[in-house]
Amino acid sequence: MTPPSFYTLCYMDYQRFLKELPTLYRHWGTEQVQPKSDRFQAVLSQVRGMTTPNVMQLLNCAIACMEANEIYCEVGSFRGSTLIGALLDHGDRLAYAVDNFSEFDPSGEGEAILAANLESFDLAEQVCFCNQDFEAFFYDLGQLQGDDRIGVYLYDGAHDYRSQLMGLLLVRPFLADQSLIIVDDSNWSAVQQANWDFIATHPQCRLELDLATPENGHFTFWNGLQILSWDTRRTAPCDWEEIQTHRDRDLLNAIYNLHFEFEQQREKLISHRS
């Protein structure tokens, strides 16, 4: 598929998304939350994925609030459940999907399974799939020098601190002036800290929803979702006290100490080799 190219900048309506999202669920705000529509559960009965109908409904709602000339982009597609959930009944939307299948693909058939699943739901022509590391993807996207703008971005790649932060930093130049960033596996400390460090350094960004779950693989929002809005009209930084409240000192100390442990191990290795 030829990568899409657009020339008119528009604005993903994230405020509409935040208003409409609760109306699409039963028992919103409780552990009994579930989509009113059963179409997402039907997808999961055909496509094995590490997600839930709740997550798929949320992505689908976000796609509906994009401008017509904006792109959906996700890093970490696995077998396509989130991708299918997002695009379901949105035949006019286009997407970038990025995965190098470095995890959860012992048979080496991940890309073929993903492609077959997209074909099953008649979505193959809407998706530009890139089998590569996400850092390489964003480098290549920048080399195209197009005017593509991402209205909704799902990051579900590696969730160590550096990968999480890079996943946010690298998408920044391609975001629409108003857009949504959706981060999976936000129960994890490294994910939360990277998100808050990104917010702290970018006045355009705010945390809108924190959909934590009691455990990984939970039937509500799997391993947690954090929903960030991006709005270039914002110029004032996030409140300093709020940023400090979300500093995970144990994690930051662990990252700090890891530096010294690594350097000591490397010195021993170099000494042993010589």
Side-chain angles (χ1 to χ4, degrees):
M1 175 182 174
T2 302
S5 182
F6 302 121
Y7 299 94
T8 302
L9 296 184
C10 295
Y11 304 90
M12 187 275 175
D13 195 346
Y14 67 84
Q15 294 174 332
R16 172 188 160 196
F17 164 82
L18 294 169
K19 180 179 179 180
E20 291 185 1
L21 185 66
T23 70
L24 300 175
Y25 294 84
R26 299 185 182 91
H27 313 298
W28 178 257
T30 75
E31 281 199 13
Q32 289 72 47
V33 60
Q34 58 181 310
K36 293 178 180 178
S37 171
D38 60 1
R39 56 185 175 160
F40 304 105
Q41 184 58 59
V43 172
L44 285 178
S45 69
Q46 301 178 56
V47 179
R48 184 171 68 87
M50 292 181 286
T51 191
T52 68
N54 286 333
V55 175
M56 297 165 76
Q57 172 64 90
L58 184 146
L59 292 171
N60 194 267
C61 177
I63 294 296
C65 295
M66 290 197 316
E67 290 287 348
N69 62 342
E70 292 174 349
I71 302 170
Y72 169 67
C73 177
E74 69 172 38
V75 170
S77 294
F78 188 40
R79 297 191 171 179
S81 54
T82 52
L83 189 55
I84 294 167
L87 295 175
L88 200 63
D89 298 330
H90 293 307
D92 58 339
R93 304 301 191 188
L94 299 176
Y96 282 126
V98 186
D99 204 316
N100 63 3
F101 302 102
S102 60
E103 295 183 278
F104 314 117
D105 187 27
S107 67
E109 299 175 322
E111 184 173 0
I113 293 172
L114 171 61
N117 288 336
L118 292 177
E119 287 285 355
S120 295
F121 288 88
D122 297 323
L123 294 173
E125 294 302 314
Q126 293 175 238
V127 177
C128 179
F129 176 71
C130 302
N131 186 341
Q132 62 185 147
D133 178 88
F134 74 87
E135 294 185 39
F137 164 76
F138 283 117
Y139 175 82
D140 290 344
L141 190 60
Q143 295 303 299
L144 294 176
Q145 298 183 343
D147 294 318
D148 300 352
R149 286 297 177 265
I150 295 169
V152 177
Y153 175 56
L154 170 66
Y155 182 82
D156 190 19
H159 289 301
D160 61 279
Y161 175 82
R162 179 189 179 277
S163 295
Q164 179 65 50
L165 186 58
M166 288 295 287
L168 298 176
L169 291 171
L170 291 174
V171 76
R172 180 186 59 181
F174 306 103
L175 292 172
D177 286 359
Q178 296 175 37
S179 49
L180 277 177
I181 301 170
I182 302 169
V183 178
D184 205 357
D185 290 304
S186 63
N187 283 351
W188 287 334
S189 298
V191 174
Q192 295 175 26
Q193 188 62 62
N195 288 349
W196 276 103
D197 287 350
F198 184 76
I199 292 169
T201 53
H202 293 84
Q204 305 94 327
C205 193
R206 292 290 186 275
L207 176 65
E208 300 290 354
L209 291 173
D210 188 358
L211 302 173
T213 65
E215 59 190 1
N216 192 2
H218 197 259
F219 64 86
T220 55
F221 293 97
W222 196 257
N223 193 30
L225 286 182
Q226 285 192 337
I227 317 300
L228 314 179
S229 64
W230 177 268
D231 193 332
T232 57
R233 297 172 300 180
R234 296 190 186 113
T235 57
C238 186
D239 182 74
W240 175 250
E241 291 185 4
E242 185 176 11
I243 292 171
Q244 292 303 298
T245 298
H246 290 91
R247 284 177 64 88
D248 189 327
R249 300 191 183 279
D250 290 337
L251 174 71
L252 295 176
N253 286 335
I255 294 173
Y256 179 81
N257 292 330
L258 179 63
H259 160 71
F260 294 103
E261 294 173 8
F262 174 77
E263 292 299 334
Q264 290 172 359
Q265 291 175 2
R266 185 162 67 173
E267 287 177 6
K268 289 180 181 179
L269 181 62
I270 293 173
S271 176
H272 177 73
R273 288 176 176 173
S274 61

